[in-house]
Amino acid sequence: MSDGISDDAEDLVGVLTERMEARFAMDIDRLKAAVVAAPAVNPDATDVVRWHGLLVEAQSVLDRAEDDLLAALETQPSEVDEPTMGLAHRVNTAVAVRDGRAMVVRWLLDPDAPGKKGLAAERLARLRPRTGPAVQTSAPRQPAGTLAPASAWREGRPAR
């Protein structure tokens, strides 16, 4: 990989964790606690912490898949059977997931990344979740015991 990130799986999560700690000037545990306590205060930190958690999860899935594959390969004769080939595919899928999540974390940490300035950044800002609905999303509730106008019309009474 470029920009100083090693291809070594063990280094990948560690390097990105260090970048997060440097960017937000606190260790990862404090950063996670701050995001849990007040997620709306810094949406950038909230996004990075969320994706970092997904990255750590993907790395542990990859580690288990690699361990399962190695165990199966140790018992194989010279030819690899179908179940072992399935384990190899599982490792490949886990690598792709882990790498994709790492790319998202890298993008979130890079203030100069493509799409973070200009028109693309404005569009991205509009996609951020709102704290509440922009307009009322449900009909106002009728007081108990009153009929809605449609109910009155169905009964043949004049609507209010």
Side-chain angles (χ1 to χ4, degrees):
M1 287 185 169
S2 62
D3 65 345
I5 296 180
S6 168
D7 283 332
D8 185 33
E10 299 303 317
D11 288 341
L12 183 63
V13 175
V15 167
L16 290 174
T17 301
E18 288 173 6
R19 286 186 180 179
M20 287 174 60
E21 292 172 341
R23 163 95 187 272
F24 296 103
M26 61 178 72
D27 67 60
I28 191 70
D29 293 328
R30 284 184 45 222
L31 181 58
K32 287 178 184 179
V35 164
V36 167
V41 169
N42 188 338
D44 292 338
T46 301
D47 288 344
V48 172
V49 167
R50 176 177 171 263
W51 280 96
H52 181 266
L54 293 171
L55 172 61
V56 169
E57 176 186 314
Q59 182 63 50
S60 70
V61 168
L62 174 58
D63 292 342
R64 284 191 305 272
E66 288 174 333
D67 291 344
D68 293 346
L69 177 60
L70 288 174
L73 287 172
E74 289 174 356
T75 64
Q76 292 289 308
S78 61
E79 302 258 339
V80 176
D81 63 8
E82 278 301 311
T84 305
M85 198 56 144
L87 291 173
H89 289 302
R90 198 173 105 205
V91 168
N92 286 337
T93 301
V95 167
V97 169
R98 192 268 327 264
D99 289 351
R101 291 176 180 180
M103 288 180 3
V104 171
V105 171
R106 272 190 6 214
W107 184 85
L108 290 169
L109 290 171
D110 183 0
D112 297 322
K116 289 202 169 180
K117 293 183 178 180
L119 183 58
E122 292 172 21
R123 288 182 180 156
L124 183 64
R126 285 192 295 249
L127 292 176
R128 283 228 184 255
R130 299 177 189 261
T131 57
V135 295
Q136 187 172 350
T137 57
S138 59
R141 296 191 56 154
Q142 293 287 330
T146 63
L147 296 174
S151 299
W153 179 80
R154 275 190 233 111
E155 293 175 0
R157 294 185 295 134
R160 294 184 265 155

